[in-house]
Amino acid sequence: MEFGATPLFQDVSYVINDKDRIALVGKNGAGKSTMLKIIAGLQQPTSGTVAVSGGSTIGYLPQVMVLSDEHTVREEAEQAFSHIFELQSRIERMNTELSERTDYESEYYQELIELVSNANEQLALIGASNYQAEIEKTLIGLGFTREDFGRDTSEFSGGWRMRIELAKLLLQRPDVLLLDEPTNHLDIESIQWLESFLSTRANAVVLVSHDRAFIDNTTFRTIEIELGK
């Protein structure tokens, strides 16, 4: 990665494996945040490639982000489950079509029944009935109260809105979770909850943090960027 003609880092090569817990460390300006953006696909390297195995999902929490203020806290967190709502809408449309058709013996009618059956199985598999409990557990773990769930996100400070974004990211359960200073806006109880979540429920994690205790409690592999290497 180069800025102007100056290389930020070069000849960098490593693999993020399933269930890896990686601390990305280095001095300020070493390129830690840039590295996360490159992995997330938000910034292109000057040369070289980032290879992502087929179907793998990547979730990224930046240090600073622009947040929308059009929803309540619960509604914002529910966006993590948009795939569930899309699937439910598809099932409703297919069920409506089934109820309106009369060609019961046709091949298309049988295919439609099979599609509805498969979609319902998929819905059960991803735990659609349980997502509200997951939302509540995650928001409470990050310091919100039940009374907060119905409040507009615009009522909260930037730090609390970052917690909402973190909640959404954790609820999505990406294959690789990239966290840039996730503890900046968290109190001790929320940090402890996040440590437990990352240790027991997350997939692969790559994080940047100045909190040494947090790094020690959540990661078992360290990649240091120093002098471009």
Side-chain angles (χ1 to χ4, degrees):
M1 185 71 197
E2 291 180 357
F3 287 109
T6 311
L8 185 61
F9 33 74
Q10 56 192 24
D11 298 326
V12 172
S13 180
Y14 60 92
V15 175
I16 301 168
N17 301 297
D18 289 343
K19 297 294 181 184
D20 257 351
R21 303 278 190 273
I22 300 171
L24 192 60
V25 303
K27 291 179 179 172
N28 287 342
K32 302 184 296 294
S33 295
T34 302
M35 179 73 76
L36 291 185
K37 287 175 188 167
I38 289 171
I39 301 170
L42 299 174
Q43 203 161 325
Q44 294 303 310
T46 308
S47 65
T49 58
V50 178
V52 182
S53 60
S56 291
T57 53
I58 297 174
Y60 169 60
L61 183 80
Q63 279 192 56
V64 180
M65 59 170 41
V66 179
L67 303 163
S68 70
D69 284 321
E70 299 168 2
H71 301 111
T72 65
V73 171
R74 184 190 287 275
E75 287 168 348
E76 195 65 36
E78 282 177 345
Q79 291 189 32
F81 297 97
S82 57
H83 59 296
I84 287 179
F85 305 142
E86 286 164 14
L87 191 55
Q88 286 172 332
S89 294
R90 192 150 59 86
I91 290 169
E92 281 173 24
R93 287 197 301 272
M94 289 189 291
N95 279 329
T96 300
E97 188 177 350
L98 277 175
S99 68
E100 291 171 353
R101 296 185 76 93
T102 54
D103 54 336
Y104 310 123
E105 302 302 321
S106 72
E107 194 175 321
Y108 179 77
Y109 193 87
Q110 298 309 312
E111 282 177 6
L112 203 53
I113 288 175
E114 198 169 326
L115 284 171
V116 171
S117 175
N118 289 341
N120 276 312
E121 279 178 28
Q122 196 181 342
L123 204 57
L125 201 63
I126 58 181
S129 61
N130 201 36
Y131 76 91
Q132 287 291 356
E134 284 291 310
I135 287 173
E136 292 186 10
K137 195 189 308 178
T138 304
L139 288 174
I140 288 170
L142 290 172
F144 292 92
T145 64
R146 290 185 188 280
E147 289 71 35
D148 292 330
F149 294 174
R151 292 171 60 192
D152 288 340
T153 57
S154 57
E155 295 178 32
F156 293 87
S157 69
W160 280 93
R161 280 144 72 198
M162 284 293 284
R163 293 190 194 207
I164 299 170
E165 290 302 312
L166 177 57
K168 279 164 59 178
L169 201 55
L170 299 180
L171 287 163
Q172 286 167 0
R173 298 283 181 83
D175 297 310
V176 182
L177 192 54
L178 307 174
L179 303 175
D180 198 347
E181 298 289 355
T183 63
N184 271 2
H185 304 290
L186 302 181
D187 54 30
I188 289 171
E189 289 83 4
S190 299
I191 290 172
Q192 289 172 342
W193 181 87
L194 180 58
E195 286 176 355
S196 173
F197 183 98
L198 295 180
S199 300
T200 60
R201 303 176 69 191
N203 297 309
V205 179
V206 183
L207 62 88
V208 172
S209 178
H210 283 92
D211 186 334
R212 180 63 63 83
F214 180 72
I215 284 178
D216 288 345
N217 291 335
T218 53
T219 65
F220 51 73
R221 182 178 166 201
T222 303
I223 294 177
E224 181 176 12
I225 303 175
E226 185 177 25
L227 302 176
K229 302 291 184 185

